[in-house]
Amino acid sequence: MMKFQGKGVYGAIAVGKVSLFRRQETQVRRVHADPASELERLEKAKTKATEQLSAIYEKALVEVGETNAQIFEIHMMMLEDDDYNESISSIIQTQNVNAEYAVAVTADNFAEMFSSMDDAYMQARASDVRDISNRLIVCLSDIRVLPLAEFVGYRAVNLRYIFGILRNRQRGLPFVTAFGSSNSHTAILARNMNIPAVICVGEEFLKSVKDGDKVIVDGHKGVVIIDPDSETESAMLAKQAEDNRKKQLLQELKGKENITVDGTRIDVFANIGGVDGIGGVLANDAGGIGLFRSEFLYLESEDFPTEEHQFSAYKKVLESMAGRKVVIRTLDIGADKQIGYFGLDKEDNPALGLRAIRICLTRPEIFRIPPRPSVSVDCAR
């Protein structure tokens, strides 16, 4: 029996056999080539990659909701990033090399830049750069990428094809990664879709696990156990059964009044980060929304969201809740949630610094409608 400590992404337990996903390696060589031809190949590959991501985005809208689907929209936007594309084009033109090599070098440079940043969220974006770059290289190489049919464990630095996680949701299977970040899109999707998952179990895990090994994934404690003994397996199966029993009890409470044994009526509300969270609130029969995290309207925008945009979101939530209580929180920006267009200075301890209501009190203009430009019309007679 071997035990590996990682970071739990979603608190649940799974027991089963490992099916290893080996990331498709794309060997890139530096080849002398005609810049004009390579730039043309690059544009075709970008178009193909965008079409692939667009198809995944449409599927994700149905599977995981608009907020989570935006991950793939962000990848499409990153493919059009000026700095990223200028770097690739410059390498092709100045070194007279093939597009695959230029993309690979750019990926390494940008990933290193993100990894060296102090902010954990920005560090996690290094994997996004590698994801889109790998997709571009695959499109340039015209390699056929097979979608993941099923998996239990991952033997990969990170989940290169997040599309697999959508398929995984239908089967309810967990995944494990040797490396990764709690802020990665893979981890975020797993949390939102209630998929048992453990990340960062380390390189030693890669050397120890093999196809068909029996493993236990403990998302509560962030532990992965290879070839558990009978006593450990029995204990974990009992814990899994208890988790399932509690979930079933919660399901049985749906549709009933929230009254304790001594007759006290209590409110059981849900928290949401956007309009797409309403479905879960209604499906689980919450008595209302205790926290609408309005900052996500700002996090999902490249500039301050307009009054119309905010009004539409709040209106849809209120209408859907049909008179049930909805509490809208003033945007909680700062600390772990940074937005570029707010222009916040770096702080040694942002959790205690300028954040949330403190920011709002210093920037009353956030709550004001910007004046509309006046238009004069000169009517010639």
Side-chain angles (χ1 to χ4, degrees):
M1 182 174 78
M2 292 178 285
K3 183 182 293 187
F4 297 87
Q5 182 66 55
K7 297 179 181 177
V9 173
Y10 175 71
I13 292 172
V15 180
K17 292 184 178 180
V18 167
S19 175
L20 296 177
F21 165 62
R22 294 176 175 85
R23 176 167 55 89
Q24 183 169 10
E25 297 291 345
T26 51
Q27 294 185 345
V28 176
R29 293 185 301 154
R30 189 179 190 275
V31 179
H32 187 274
D34 173 56
S37 299
E38 293 306 299
L39 290 173
E40 184 178 349
R41 288 182 63 230
L42 177 65
E43 286 305 310
K44 290 181 179 178
K46 281 172 56 181
T47 299
K48 185 176 180 180
T50 301
E51 290 172 352
Q52 291 175 357
L53 288 167
S54 180
I56 296 172
Y57 171 75
E58 293 300 324
K59 180 175 177 62
L61 278 176
V62 178
E63 293 283 346
V64 295
E66 184 177 0
T67 298
N68 293 317
Q70 286 179 341
I71 292 169
F72 309 107
E73 199 169 33
I74 290 170
H75 278 205
M76 285 187 276
M77 291 170 60
M78 291 176 74
L79 275 174
E80 299 301 324
D81 180 77
D82 290 339
D83 292 335
Y84 178 77
N85 284 292
E86 284 174 10
S87 173
I88 297 172
S89 299
S90 176
I91 292 172
I92 291 174
Q93 293 173 307
T94 59
Q95 300 184 33
N96 296 331
V97 292
N98 53 317
E100 291 93 334
Y101 176 79
V103 172
V105 171
T106 297
D108 288 341
N109 292 339
F110 274 64
E112 184 178 352
M113 176 186 69
F114 282 119
S115 297
S116 64
M117 292 182 177
D118 294 331
D119 183 72
Y121 179 84
M122 296 307 295
Q123 290 173 359
R125 303 288 70 78
S127 63
D128 291 327
V129 173
R130 293 197 182 280
D131 281 345
I132 62 171
S133 299
N134 189 68
R135 184 177 293 277
L136 257 184
I137 292 170
V138 167
C139 290
L140 281 163
S141 306
D142 201 27
I143 299 172
R144 181 170 176 260
V145 179
L146 295 174
L148 302 174
E150 61 179 76
F151 58 88
V152 178
Y154 273 93
R155 187 175 188 173
V157 171
N158 51 43
L159 187 57
R160 290 291 178 180
Y161 300 99
I162 307 178
F163 182 57
I165 206 168
L166 304 179
R167 291 173 169 265
N168 188 46
R169 185 192 191 201
Q170 297 169 356
R171 298 180 59 84
L173 300 176
F175 69 86
V176 176
T177 64
F179 306 102
S181 164
S182 299
N183 294 312
S184 70
H185 286 145
T186 307
I188 293 169
L189 278 171
R191 279 193 294 271
N192 289 345
M193 293 189 289
N194 301 340
I195 296 174
V198 175
I199 63 172
C200 299
V201 291
E203 264 188 280
E204 197 59 36
F205 172 76
L206 299 183
K207 301 174 184 177
S208 305
V209 70
K210 58 184 182 295
D211 272 312
D213 280 346
K214 178 177 281 189
V215 297
I216 294 174
V217 178
D218 184 352
H220 295 288
K221 296 182 178 179
V223 171
V224 181
I225 301 171
I226 300 176
D227 192 23
D229 56 40
S230 57
E231 183 180 353
T232 301
E233 183 175 352
S234 296
M236 297 304 278
L237 286 172
K239 190 173 181 181
Q240 182 188 57
E242 178 63 15
D243 284 348
N244 292 334
R245 186 185 70 82
K246 290 178 180 178
K247 290 177 183 177
Q248 184 58 40
L249 285 174
L250 290 173
Q251 291 296 314
E252 293 174 4
L253 290 174
K254 290 200 301 186
K256 297 180 180 179
E257 289 189 288
N258 300 317
I259 301 176
T260 62
V261 175
D262 65 357
T264 303
R265 186 179 298 276
I266 60 174
D267 292 326
V268 179
F269 289 177
N271 294 344
I272 62 172
V275 174
D276 60 315
I278 299 171
V281 175
L282 298 176
N284 289 285
D285 193 35
I289 295 175
L291 199 64
F292 185 135
R293 297 186 174 97
S294 62
E295 63 268 16
F296 283 91
L297 295 175
Y298 291 76
L299 286 164
E300 294 163 2
S301 301
E302 295 184 1
D303 202 349
F304 292 96
T306 64
E307 181 192 23
E308 289 80 5
H309 178 72
Q310 294 185 67
F311 175 79
S312 175
Y314 300 143
K315 180 173 181 282
K316 186 171 183 179
V317 171
L318 291 168
E319 287 178 341
S320 300
M321 294 308 295
R324 281 178 275 186
K325 187 174 183 178
V326 176
V327 178
I328 300 173
R329 178 173 71 181
T330 306
L331 65 151
D332 182 15
I333 297 301
D336 61 325
K337 295 188 282 291
Q338 298 288 338
I339 299 178
Y341 58 82
F342 269 72
L344 300 176
D345 296 327
K346 182 180 177 181
E347 297 182 272
D348 292 334
N349 191 343
L352 294 177
L354 190 64
R355 64 171 295 185
I357 192 64
R358 300 178 197 132
I359 292 176
C360 297
L361 291 173
T362 62
R363 302 190 183 192
E365 67 274 10
I366 294 174
F367 301 97
R368 297 192 180 118
I369 304 171
R372 299 181 184 277
S374 59
V375 179
S376 59
V377 180
D378 183 12
C379 298
R381 293 181 180 272

